């Protein structure tokens, strides 16, 4: 490894940290990433990247690679638990954006980012097996203490003019800055996530929402195309159901279809056999719907927080990865433009803390699929004859537009410079 001190030390090589490294490199600012895992494994399942995140990744020259691995989402469609269509709307380029919305396996997204970092910044840009345990600073440097990720042995601290903690939901820096922070807030529902090798449904690039979590909710979309040379796809799915036992926040906790399948046994529709698809998954993961109240500050002198470390939110509305990507590009842009880098860290917090807090809070109430609860309430959970008798088309459109505005990806927002959104 090179001995030169980088200008920025990045804690954590997940989606936010890697994007930040690429954005800093483009700005001509040197950096090095320190990742706790001794090696990267293809973990997680799929996620969806909204147009504002794709715009930032496209500016980093990654769009072709993302589209080669993932799928450009063409439409959202909302169904009741009976399989009755409530609403469909175009997405990505079909909805007038300059860039697509992309559904992709997290491991593929991570792979694209790691490959780009190693190619552009060099093989030694990511130091593996470094678990951050404490952050400190003096007049000249941030000072970061690590344990060896494999042996747990303490390692000599590392110094850099600035450090950015991108170490996810269990961030060591966040815990140190906010020791009084309340425990994660559990909403009383749990997600089961899986991916199944299956035949395409609807357009082959549709994202479908079915039902509500009270009776069992499904979100499903394809994340890999033509995986068998015969047009088969890897279909990602997320089930959300009410559960009242003590949750564990671990992205890799495994589960079984028996935990939730009862609520979906009836859901064999003409466009998708849902129970068969759920049973066909290679692996099923469990993740509770937890978030934390927005923080009062992220930046202390030479150190700041980014991504889930700064604003852990419920994985709903496709915004966890998107907001980390936008944080990364905003901070890199400010560090490039401002001569006083400590001021840049403060300005980043001023721009992004309020914006992301709104998304954290919106994900509790008004995520895109909340419309299905409105339908459930108005119909008493029964079948309807005509959707127009339950809700007007304008109201359906307004629900989706409201979330786009909060999350900062309405077509209007996309025309503004990033920092003003
Ligand atoms: C294994 C895994 C699987 C996931 N699967 C999904 C999914 O299927 N769907 C979904 O919507 N979201 C998933 N997420 C969350 C999603 O990636 C994040 O919400 C989002 O990308 C925000 O990115 P981030 O960089 O802030 O956090 P993350 O992408 O979580 O990255 C944090 C990184 O920091 C590292 N790290 C943690 N603690 C330390 C430490 N003390 N010192 C150094 N490094 C540390 C982690 O190993 C990780 O590489 C997953 C996250 C992880 C870690």
């Amino acid at each position: 490894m090179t001995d030169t001190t980088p200008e920025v030390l990045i804690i954590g090589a997940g989606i936010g940290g890697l994007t930040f490294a690429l954005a800093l490199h483009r700005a001509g600012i040197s950096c090095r990433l320190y990742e706790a895992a001794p090696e990267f494994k293809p973990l997680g399942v799929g996620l969806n990247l909204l147009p504002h995140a794709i715009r930032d990744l496209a500016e980093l020259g990654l769009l072709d690679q993302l589209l080669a691995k993932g799928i450009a989402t063409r439409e959202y469609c909302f169904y009741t638990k009976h399989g009755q269509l409530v609403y469909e709307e175009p997405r990505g380029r079909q909805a007038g954006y300059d860039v697509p919305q992309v559904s992709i396996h997290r491991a593929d997204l991570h792979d694209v980012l790691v490959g780009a970092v190693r190619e552009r910044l060099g093989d030694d840009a990511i130091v593996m097996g470094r678990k951050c345990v404490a952050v400190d600073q003096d007049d000249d440097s941030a000072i970061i203490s690590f344990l060896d990720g494999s042996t747990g042995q303490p390692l000599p601290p590392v110094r850099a003019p600035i450090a950015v903690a991108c170490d996810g939901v269990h961030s060591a820096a966040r815990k140190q800055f906010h020791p009084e922070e309340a425990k994660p807030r559990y909403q009383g529902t749990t997600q089961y996530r899986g991916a199944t090798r299956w035949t395409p449904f609807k357009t082959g690039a549709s994202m479908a929402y079915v039902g509500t979590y009270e009776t069992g909710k499904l979100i499903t979309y394809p994340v890999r195309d033509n995986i068998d040379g015969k047009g088969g796809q890897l279909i990602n799915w997320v089930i959300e159901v009410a559960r009242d036992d003590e949750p564990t926040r671990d992205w890799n906790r495994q589960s079984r279809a028996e935990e939730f399948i009862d609520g979906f046994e009836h859901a064999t529709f003409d466009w998708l056999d849902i129970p068969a698809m759920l049973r066909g998954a290679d692996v099923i993961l469990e993740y509770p719907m937890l978030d934390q109240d927005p923080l009062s500050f992220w930046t202390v002198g030479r150190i700041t927080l980014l991504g889930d470390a700064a604003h852990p939110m419920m994985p709903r509305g496709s915004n966890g990865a998107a907001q980390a990507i936008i944080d990364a590009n905003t901070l890199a842009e400010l560090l490039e433009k401002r001569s006083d880098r400590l001021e840049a860290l403060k300005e980043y917090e001023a721009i992004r803390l309020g914006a992301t807090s709104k998304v954290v809070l919106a994900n509790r109430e008004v995520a895109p699929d909340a419309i299905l609860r409105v339908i459930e309430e108005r119909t008493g959970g029964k079948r309807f004859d005509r959707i127009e008798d339950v809700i007007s088309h304008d109201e359906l459109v307004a629900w989706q537009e409201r979330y786009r505005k909060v999350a900062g990806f309405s077509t209007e927002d996309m025309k503004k410079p990033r920092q003003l959104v």
Side-chain angles (χ1 to χ4, degrees), residues 67-79:
L67 286 173
K69 299 231 182 203
I71 292 186
T73 308
R74 294 178 64 87
E75 62 168 6
Y76 273 15
C77 18
F78 297 86
Y79 292 88

Side-chain angles (χ1 to χ4, degrees), residues 11-17 34-37 43-47 106 130-132 166-168 172 193 251-252 306-309 315 320-321 324:
I11 306 165
I15 307 303
Y34 290 80
E35 164 60 41
L43 300 169
V45 285
L47 41 78
R106 185 185 182 274
R130 295 289 187 279
K131 181 175 181 187
C132 167
C166 310
D167 48 348
R193 300 171 301 122
W251 282 111
N252 302 312
L306 185 150
D308 280 353

Side-chain angles (χ1 to χ4, degrees), residues 177-240:
F177 287 177
H178 295 277
E180 77 297 347
E181 191 185 16
K183 271 177 58 178
R185 178 185 168 280
Y186 182 47
Q187 192 207 255
T189 64
T190 287
Q191 284 191 342
Y192 297 91
R193 300 171 301 122
T196 306
R197 283 166 277 139
W198 209 244
T199 44
F201 66 86
K202 302 231 359 147
T203 61
S206 302
M207 183 155 169
Y209 291 80
V210 183
T212 64
Y213 67 74
E214 288 85 353
T215 52
K217 181 178 98 181
L218 166 79
I219 306 173
T220 185
Y221 48 92
V223 290
R224 280 184 196 148
D225 217 358
N226 198 17
I227 50 174
D228 51 7
K230 296 182 214 150
Q233 291 182 324
L234 186 69
I235 311 272
N236 187 68
W237 51 262
V238 183
I239 296 289
E240 189 178 337

Side-chain angles (χ1 to χ4, degrees), residues 260-297:
F260 54 82
I261 198 82
D262 284 356
F264 294 89
E265 290 293 13
H266 70 285
T268 303
F269 305 139
D270 56 0
W271 54 276
L272 186 61
D273 183 344
I274 292 173
M277 180 184 74
L278 301 179
R279 285 205 171 87
D282 294 334
V283 67
I284 296 175
L285 302 169
E286 180 179 327
Y287 193 81
M289 294 302 261
L290 288 160
D291 68 6
Q292 268 155 286
D293 286 334
L295 297 172
S296 52
F297 65 89

Side-chain angles (χ1 to χ4, degrees), residues 138-157:
D138 61 20
D139 288 346
D140 306 313
S141 308
I143 307 159
I144 313 301
S145 300
F146 294 99
L147 297 182
D148 184 305
S150 305
T151 64
Q153 292 301 309
L155 295 163

Side-chain angles (χ1 to χ4, degrees), residues 299 301-304 331 341-349:
T299 302
R302 303 177 170 279
I303 304 169
T304 195
L331 180 53
R341 293 202 163 154
L342 302 196
E343 278 303 311
L345 297 191
K346 277 280 176 206
E347 199 178 337
Y348 154 74
E349 175 187 302

Side-chain angles (χ1 to χ4, degrees), residues 32-51:
R32 191 171 300 137
L33 295 116
Y34 290 80
E35 164 60 41
E39 58 178 320
F40 291 127
K41 295 193 178 139
L43 300 169
V45 285
L47 41 78
N48 198 262
L49 294 169
L50 295 167

